[in-house]
Amino acid sequence: MAKLGRVEAAPIRSETPFADHLGETMRAVSEERDPGTGRIALEITFDSGRVRCGTWSGDLCLSST
């Protein structure tokens, strides 16, 4: 995140993509970089699905598949 970035923390509820995978073992982790934009993404694979963590303009974006 950028020097002036912001981090917001909240209690764990079903709203976070990680909630469905609590207690599961991570099976794989992969990183993607886009040299043209400087964007970085991290994908974490669990038995029941994946969570993708990416950056956009200094913000952290989470999504689940």
Side-chain angles (χ1 to χ4, degrees):
M1 288 191 285
K3 182 170 90 174
L4 301 175
R6 179 179 74 207
V7 175
E8 293 180 18
I12 295 177
R13 293 186 210 117
S14 60
E15 295 128 22
T16 174
F18 288 103
D20 292 337
H21 310 292
L22 288 177
E24 289 186 38
T25 300
M26 287 187 286
R27 299 295 175 193
V29 176
S30 62
E31 178 183 275
E32 293 177 22
R33 293 178 179 266
D34 184 338
T37 64
R39 292 181 67 191
I40 301 171
L42 175 73
E43 188 168 275
I44 304 167
T45 303
F46 300 92
D47 287 332
S48 62
R50 296 181 301 235
V51 175
R52 184 175 177 85
C53 312
T55 60
W56 181 255
S57 298
D59 292 330
L60 177 63
C61 305
L62 302 174
S63 60
S64 184
T65 58

